[in-house]
């Protein structure tokens, strides 16, 4: 493996994890398509199949989530109790998703992943417009925003939380992502989480969920360890950078760019999967 390829993978880890940390996705939505694209372009990565890209990505997401979670905890933006509840369903589901991935061909995986990326782009597009919906909460909490002192009342319904977390965890294991694409909208729409708290708590849940899912991929032999080792330093740096940016700016321009990029990649993968 050449030096320039190692630097390219390092850069991929930084970019994917920075964006993933800012919007609470984890970075896998960029790493998986990136690895699939490079595997078709470079002979040295020809062995990176869809399953290997997913497993390697999910392992890297662990370090992205750990890096950003530590930063978010210093900022006191993580609701640990809620995150642990979500993990009760998402953790086992991620292992099931990782197992399910073994039974899908590369072409079908690309088609499914393309559709999923288009869904993520749509969710990112409406994220700023969504408003909380009234549902029965079993738990209610108070969050005081650091610096401004602004108070937010939020909570959650156990059954909705567990159901959505299960689906998010299964998708995390199947697609090699964090699952935040569903977790963040769920927390904002149904449970009135303030966006900054939802993003940080999502990254904490992703840390636990991706750890379970990546262990299953390790057992199934779906990890390219050399690629993972080159991506992880960038992922760690990107997680720190993303949480820093998130605490200082809205990141709307970056989110807009991310929407377009994810939608474009998703459409390309969908076409490739169909043809």
């Amino acid at each position: 493996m050449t030096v320039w390829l190692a630097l390219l993978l390092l850069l991929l880890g930084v970019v994917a994890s920075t964006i993933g940390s800012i919007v609470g996705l984890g970075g896998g939505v960029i790493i998986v398509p990136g690895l699939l694209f490079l595997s078709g372009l470079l002979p040295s990565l020809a062995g990176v199949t869809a399953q290997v890209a997913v497993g390697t990505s999910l392992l890297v997401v662990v370090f992205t989530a750990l890096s950003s979670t530590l930063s978010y905890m210093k900022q006191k933006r993580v609701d640990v109790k809620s995150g642990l509840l979500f993990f009760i369903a998402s953790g086992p589901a991620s292992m099931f998703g990782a197992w399910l991935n073994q039974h899908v061909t590369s072409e079908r995986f690309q088609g499914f992943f393309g559709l999923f990326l288009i869904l993520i782009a749509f969710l990112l597009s409406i994220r700023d417009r969504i408003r909380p919906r009234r549902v029965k909460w079993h738990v209610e909490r108070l969050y005081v925003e650091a610096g401004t002192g602004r108070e937010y009342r939020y909570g959650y319904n156990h059954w909705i939380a567990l159901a959505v977390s299960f689906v998010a965890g299964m998708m995390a294991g199947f697609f090699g992502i964090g699952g935040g694409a569903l977790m963040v909208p769920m927390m904002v729409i149904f449970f009135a989480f303030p966006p900054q708290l939802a993003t940080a708590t999502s990254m904490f849940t992703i840390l636990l969920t991706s750890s379970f899912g990546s262990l299953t991929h390790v057992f199934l032999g779906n990890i390219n360890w050399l690629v993972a080792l080159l991506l992880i330093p960038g992922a760690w740096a990107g997680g720190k950078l993303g949480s820093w940016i998130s605490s200082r700016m809205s990141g709307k321009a970056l989110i807009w760019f991310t929407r377009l990029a994810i939608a474009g990649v998703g459409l390309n993968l969908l076409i490739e999967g169909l043809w």
Side-chain angles (χ1 to χ4, degrees):
M1 186 174 289
T2 61
V3 174
W4 73 267
L5 179 56
L7 292 175
L8 182 61
L9 290 173
L10 180 67
L11 180 62
L12 175 63
V14 172
V15 173
S17 300
T18 299
I19 295 174
S21 180
I22 290 174
V23 298
L25 297 179
V29 293
I30 296 174
I31 292 177
V32 173
L35 291 179
L36 291 176
F37 173 75
L38 292 175
S39 69
L41 192 65
L42 303 172
S44 56
L45 294 180
V48 178
T49 62
Q51 283 73 25
V52 172
V54 167
T56 304
S57 170
L58 200 58
L59 178 62
V60 174
V61 167
V62 173
F63 292 88
T64 302
L66 175 60
S67 175
S68 58
T69 296
L70 291 175
S71 296
Y72 282 134
M73 281 186 167
K74 288 182 180 178
Q75 300 168 16
K76 297 182 179 180
R77 291 169 57 182
V78 178
D79 184 337
V80 175
K81 290 184 178 179
S82 297
L84 289 173
L85 173 73
F86 303 152
F87 169 68
I88 290 174
S90 65
S94 69
M95 301 178 75
F96 174 68
W99 171 83
L100 194 63
N101 178 269
Q102 297 296 109
H103 304 282
V104 178
T105 63
S106 295
E107 291 77 14
R108 286 190 176 182
F109 174 81
Q110 287 185 325
F112 290 148
F113 197 55
L115 284 172
F116 184 67
L117 289 182
I118 293 171
L119 172 62
I120 288 178
F122 172 74
L123 290 176
L124 286 175
S125 297
I126 66 172
R127 196 174 92 160
D128 294 336
R129 302 185 185 93
I130 55 181
R131 295 291 181 268
R133 298 291 185 266
R134 287 190 173 275
V135 297
K136 181 181 179 181
W137 293 346
H138 297 129
V139 175
E140 184 173 341
R141 293 201 172 101
L142 175 68
Y143 171 70
V144 181
E145 188 175 43
T148 65
R150 183 177 179 182
E151 295 185 350
Y152 296 88
R153 291 202 174 273
Y154 70 98
Y156 54 80
N157 178 291
H158 289 142
W159 303 117
I160 295 177
L162 292 174
V164 176
S165 297
F166 181 87
V167 175
M170 186 171 64
M171 289 186 172
F174 186 83
F175 290 120
I177 62 171
L182 293 179
M183 296 295 295
V184 174
M186 172 192 72
M187 286 187 271
V188 174
I189 296 173
F190 295 116
F191 306 150
F193 272 65
Q196 63 271 33
L197 186 68
T199 298
T201 304
S202 171
M203 292 305 296
F204 171 65
T205 306
I206 285 171
L207 168 62
L208 302 176
T209 302
S210 56
S211 297
F212 265 53
S214 61
L215 284 175
T216 305
H217 280 292
V218 169
F219 177 77
L220 294 171
N222 292 338
I223 308 291
N224 185 313
W225 292 101
L226 179 58
V227 171
L229 288 174
L230 292 172
L231 286 168
I232 285 171
W236 183 269
K240 293 288 186 183
L241 179 60
S243 60
W244 179 83
I245 293 174
S246 177
S247 67
R248 285 164 173 78
M249 59 178 288
S250 64
K252 288 185 177 181
L254 182 58
I255 293 174
W256 265 106
F257 173 78
T258 304
R259 293 170 188 162
L260 296 175
I262 289 176
V265 171
L267 185 60
N268 181 66
L269 287 174
L270 179 59
I271 293 172
E272 288 184 5
L274 291 175
W275 289 97

